Amino acid sequence: MRRDTVCKIISNKQAGKFFFEMKAEWISAAKICAPGQFFMINIPGVFLRRPMGVHKIEKKTISFLYKVAGKGTGILSQMKKGKIEILGPLGNGYDLNIGSKTPVLIAGGTGIASLYCLAAAIKKKKGILFYGARSRKDLICLDKFRKLGWRVFISTEDGSKGYKGFVTEMFEKDLALRFREKENFSSYYIYVCGPSPMMNAAIKIARHYSLSGCVSLEEKMACGVGNCQGCSVLIDGQNKMVCKDGPVFYINQNL
């Protein structure tokens, strides 16, 4: 259900060196939002809205976790009270019907935002998180996942915390070790969200080990509803709109 809603800002707090988490009051949040969906945020003084994935859904509130990376998000970070206009929820969410499979999340950078919403929704399952960032200063949400009882593995490109290198390298080494020791990882169901190079690497690894799962694509969007066709991608030989047909697609699709 797509709708333009004006919401009261409850809080907009710093969640890391470069990150903020904004919580807004929205009575219908828990009824119509799903993990993996996103909203187009109308920021005062900025022409185009900014797409943001849902970070947390509560009974009457919705939260967005974002990185301050330019003028728009800079203005948004200064909005401590008042109201905000949001369009959504938009797109298709993550597939939660995974039966007895173990959820394994692979997050890169701000991709962690929507994956936390997913983890919180899978209440009866404790999964595994592989999370990568440039440095320890870019790591967020770790305590949230640990409170859910998830196993957390961290990588940083500069080696300032956890495994030194890319998160996909860490994930692949874990799978290779389990394969050599004949451990069962066939029950893994993979969820991926992050930059395109990371996503492509994760898909390649998952396919190599015959793992199924979902990926959430990150593309620049202008309208968020499929009209401008600015987020067009080629999937299964056809042009698809990330905003309308995604942002979540399946690993077994020809991405």
Side-chain angles (χ1 to χ4, degrees), residues 80 102 170 186:
K80 306 302 181 184
T102 301
M170 177 176 60
S186 61

Side-chain angles (χ1 to χ4, degrees), residues 23-37:
K23 177 186 287 190
E25 184 179 46
W26 191 24
I27 296 175
S28 303
K31 295 180 180 180
I32 65 175
C33 290
Q37 290 188 298

Side-chain angles (χ1 to χ4, degrees), residues 5 22 41 86 94 106 110 147 154 206 230 232 247:
T5 308
M22 182 183 71
I41 312 295
I86 61 176
Y94 294 109
I106 307 173
T110 55
K147 286 180 180 179
I154 300 166
S232 175

Side-chain angles (χ1 to χ4, degrees), residues 4 22 37-54 64-77 79 84-88 90 219-225 243:
D4 221 335
M22 182 183 71
Q37 290 188 298
F38 70 97
F39 287 75
M40 298 298 290
I41 312 295
N42 189 13
I43 302 173
V46 180
F47 179 64
L48 293 176
R49 299 191 185 209
R50 296 295 188 268
M52 289 191 184
V54 180
F64 302 96
L65 181 66
Y66 60 97
K67 183 176 183 179
V68 177
K71 177 183 177 181
T73 48
I75 294 173
L76 185 63
S77 69
M79 297 176 64
I84 189 80
E85 186 178 275
I86 61 176
L87 174 65
L90 303 171
E219 291 289 334
K220 291 183 178 181
M221 299 179 187
C223 71
V225 295
C243 64

Side-chain angles (χ1 to χ4, degrees), residues 5 34 42 51 53 60 67 80 84 91 106 128 134-135 146 160-161 164 177 190 201 204 207 209 230 235 237 252 255:
T5 308
N42 189 13
K60 295 183 179 181
K67 183 176 183 179
K80 306 302 181 184
I84 189 80
I106 307 173
I128 305 169
R134 290 183 178 179
S135 73
R146 289 172 177 145
S160 54
K161 191 174 182 63
K164 183 178 182 180
L177 177 62
I190 310 301
K204 184 177 180 180
R207 288 174 177 170
Y209 286 95
I235 295 179
N252 60 5
L255 302 173

